[in-house]
Amino acid sequence: MVQNEDAEPRRRGRPRAYDPQAALQQAAERFWRSGYSSTSLDEISAATGMNRPSLYAAFGDKHALYLKALERYWQFSLVAVREALADGEQTLDAALMRVYDGQLAIYFSGDGPPRGCFAIGTATTEAVEDAEIRSALADGLRALDADFEARFRMARERGELRDDADPAALAVLASATLHTIAIRARAGVPRGELREIALKAVRVIRG
Amino acid sequence: MVQNEDAEPRRRGRPRAYDPQAALQQAAERFWRSGYSSTSLDEISAATGMNRPSLYAAFGDKHALYLKALERYWQFSLVAVREALADGEQTLDAALMRVYDGQLAIYFSGDGPPRGCFAIGTATTEAVEDAEIRSALADGLRALDADFEARFRMARERGELRDDADPAALAVLASATLHTIAIRARAGVPRGELREIALKAVRVIRG
DNA sequence: AGGGTTTTATTCGACATGGTACAAAATGAG
DNA sequence: CTCATTTTGTACCATGTCGAATAAAACCCT
């Protein structure tokens, strides 16, 4: 943590030429597409417009930069999930489909080929040998499960589900549906098919 | 395709010092753990005992080697799935759990940390920018869906499922369950928890 | 035994990569 | 204006990487 992240940016020396948050976003785009290992710092340097020393000063080495990008992605992605689930008025089906539609919009965002989920698509590979990436991945997956589970619990209390429904089990299946969509997106399955998968999954999960 | 893969190995020159299939297996182990980009040919050379020129002569360049390893993995993995589903006597629940237990055995095989699914864990990352890997990944995912779907269709005809059950939809959910398990294995979730996930998923899918 | 053939082993080279050293540039403070 | 401070830009270095070129070794066939 640096003091005064955005408060009083009036500092002494030469002012920064680039917005760190925008640069982090662009670095994430590169990692998102090519993964951690095959994305070079030169590519990130070109994408952000920052040269390597500036990159290093701002975010640390490549590993730290990736972790920051991953953390940022999880925040963004999970906020979208929570917002989709937040509206208490909508039915369970509608809430779930809002989640899937929102994530699909993320998976198919940007130029170039569809990239699916940044975390699932790139962190999964590194997770085996990298404890920090592994724990960042695990934390995100747990958070997704928890968000779904809370919504299923609410649905059961409201009578949208049978009394003997298991919110945790349904949450894992809802997560699994998102995971399979994330993978298939990178495998080239078109967006329409993925939405169809979400629709059918919701029908089965709802019971 | 090389002529005479295993028939009549009596050839003219110096005999091979290593079994190509065993070497391919060991190469796959390395890719499986570290992914495509961050596994060097030197590592594979050390693991197989073959030096790089021999490796190159036997399998082509790194990319071709990875594709061969991936193809081999899919064959192995899908054969296990089909064998688990083949026994027509067992109930749907038992058949599904045999699939999941079989795949879990693969995901947690070998020394070192759990590696999950080789295809999902490593090909997903490369799939965006590599058309060959992408299509190998897509083919495997489709084959898994098809195997599950055939079993669900049989279950419906036998009365193990309701008449209005959608075999394709259930198959995607069964695949999704396997995919989420594959991801979570790499994220460090212990095997027992993953089996619990499979159990609960089967209960929901069966209805 | 000797030639032909295939594989192995050593070595090389061109290149990419991550990280850093150092000087120039751009600002605020005094 | 001058100096301290911070960032930028260029250049550099050590290392790792892939692939290939070449020579040595081990076998079959005549």
Side-chain angles (χ1 to χ4, degrees), chain B residues 11-15 39-41 52-53 56 61-62:
Chain B
R11 274 172 302 191
R12 284 277 302 246
R14 177 171 175 171
T39 302
S40 72
L41 288 185
R52 278 210 309 282
Y56 195 86
D61 65 5
K62 184 182 177 184

Side-chain angles (χ1 to χ4, degrees), chain B residues 67-151:
Chain B
L67 279 176
K68 286 188 170 67
L70 179 58
E71 207 60 51
R72 183 186 165 84
Y73 177 85
W74 272 131
Q75 281 179 16
F76 180 72
S77 172
L78 287 170
V79 161
V81 168
R82 278 161 204 151
E83 284 179 355
L85 293 176
D87 180 2
E89 298 302 309
Q90 60 193 346
T91 64
L92 176 61
D93 290 40
L96 294 177
M97 281 312 296
R98 271 187 59 182
V99 171
Y100 294 128
D101 281 329
Q103 295 296 306
L104 276 172
I106 297 174
Y107 295 174
F108 284 79
S109 65
D111 309 327
R115 294 163 301 181
C117 172
F118 176 35
I120 290 174
T122 71
T124 303
T125 296
E126 313 299 327
V128 171
E129 290 193 316
D130 188 310
E132 291 181 290
I133 296 180
R134 179 167 63 249
S135 105
L137 174 61
D139 289 348
L141 295 178
R142 257 193 302 272
L144 179 67
D145 288 344
D147 288 341
F148 274 132
E149 183 175 343
R151 184 59 181 84

Side-chain angles (χ1 to χ4, degrees), chain A residues 46-204:
Chain A
T48 58
M50 300 168 66
N51 39 38
R52 279 211 307 280
S54 298
L55 222 42
Y56 194 85
F59 306 109
D61 64 6
K62 185 183 178 184
H63 190 253
L65 174 57
Y66 177 82
L67 279 175
K68 285 188 171 66
L70 179 58
E71 205 60 51
R72 183 187 165 84
Y73 176 85
W74 271 130
Q75 281 180 17
F76 179 72
S77 172
L78 287 169
V79 161
V81 169
R82 278 162 203 150
E83 284 178 355
L85 293 176
D87 180 0
E89 297 303 310
Q90 60 193 345
T91 65
L92 175 61
D93 290 38
L96 294 177
M97 282 311 297
R98 271 187 60 183
V99 171
Y100 294 127
D101 281 328
Q103 296 296 307
L104 276 173
I106 295 174
Y107 295 173
F108 283 80
S109 64
D111 310 327
R115 295 163 300 181
C117 172
F118 177 35
I120 290 174
T122 71
T124 302
T125 296
E126 313 300 326
V128 171
E129 289 193 317
D130 188 311
E132 290 180 291
I133 295 180
R134 179 168 64 249
S135 106
L137 174 61
D139 289 350
L141 296 177
R142 257 193 302 272
L144 180 66
D145 287 344
D147 288 341
F148 274 131
E149 182 176 343
R151 183 62 182 81
F152 283 118
R153 203 173 298 280
M154 180 205 269
R156 192 179 58 179
E157 286 164 6
R158 284 189 185 172
E160 288 187 295
L161 291 172
R162 295 170 40 175
D163 285 348
D164 63 346
D166 180 350
L170 297 179
V172 169
L173 263 184
S175 289
T177 300
L178 192 55
H179 298 166
T180 200
I181 288 174
I183 292 168
R184 290 169 199 256
R186 280 181 93 90
V189 176
R191 183 169 179 173
E193 279 184 44
L194 298 179
R195 187 164 200 279
E196 207 59 39
I197 286 178
L199 274 170
K200 291 180 179 174
V202 166
R203 248 173 270 155
V204 176

